[in-house]
Amino acid sequence: MSEKSRGLLKVGAALVALVALVGLALSWLTQPTVGPAPVAWDREACGFCRMHIGDRHFAAQLRQEVGEPVNFDDPGCLFLYLDKEQPKVVELYFRHESQDRWLDRREVVFRLDVAQTPMGFGLAATTSDVASQAQALASARAWLRERQEKDKP
């Protein structure tokens, strides 16, 4: 094998290795991480209504198959976003209404008709051991849809 052929072979092998590394890095970057991501309170805008996310007791977060987490200032904004955009959901998180922690969609229930929420949707995330009359996630979404339909002119 000539010197020129060996040089081309080395360059080709290096290119293949580089493409493989880039592909590996891209697949790693698009993998969703587990758990809620940090929120830039009072600086980050809601993914639906674009208002700042300031009240930690009503925030919500969506993790999708690809891309950054999307944060919301009110559970109702998240529900409306899900209906409108229909993203590929990996996980949903909701801030507990009275505790400094996130709840995932498997443990969250909602109190309905809460007097003051950031966008007035009336939903507050909690756990069933705190609120005996609370509604599961699907029921809370259905309640909000019905309420939105009634409010249409």
Side-chain angles (χ1 to χ4, degrees):
M1 185 181 290
S2 72
E3 192 66 34
K4 186 176 181 179
S5 295
R6 277 190 221 131
L8 287 174
L9 192 59
K10 286 180 183 178
V11 169
L15 284 173
V16 167
L18 180 62
V19 168
L21 283 173
V22 168
L24 184 62
L26 287 175
S27 70
W28 178 77
L29 288 173
T30 59
Q31 294 297 316
T33 56
V34 176
V39 176
W41 304 109
D42 296 314
R43 292 188 316 239
E44 192 167 337
C46 173
F48 185 76
C49 72
R50 309 310 301 161
M51 299 291 288
H52 279 120
I53 303 168
D55 192 338
R56 295 170 191 237
H57 302 292
F58 296 98
Q61 187 175 98
L62 160 68
R63 284 203 175 264
Q64 304 174 77
E65 282 186 2
V66 177
E68 295 292 316
V70 183
N71 294 304
F72 302 89
D73 64 339
D74 189 298
C77 285
L78 169 59
F79 293 158
L80 294 175
Y81 181 90
L82 291 173
D83 290 343
K84 181 179 178 190
E85 302 296 329
Q86 300 180 349
K88 293 185 179 183
V89 176
V90 170
E91 192 54 81
L92 299 174
Y93 297 101
F94 302 88
R95 290 291 292 188
H96 194 287
E97 70 172 321
S98 62
Q99 299 173 9
D100 187 22
R101 67 185 180 114
W102 290 96
L103 304 170
D104 73 26
R105 66 177 159 185
R106 289 171 288 282
E107 65 182 324
V108 71
V109 294
F110 293 90
R111 287 193 318 111
L112 309 178
D113 278 329
V114 175
Q116 292 192 337
T117 64
M119 297 307 297
F121 292 119
L123 296 165
T126 189
T127 53
S128 59
D129 61 322
V130 174
S132 61
Q133 299 298 314
Q135 299 293 311
L137 189 135
S139 298
R141 280 184 75 183
W143 175 83
L144 180 62
R145 281 189 200 112
E146 288 176 23
R147 187 172 166 188
Q148 292 290 104
E149 286 299 316
K150 287 179 188 175
D151 290 344
K152 284 185 178 176

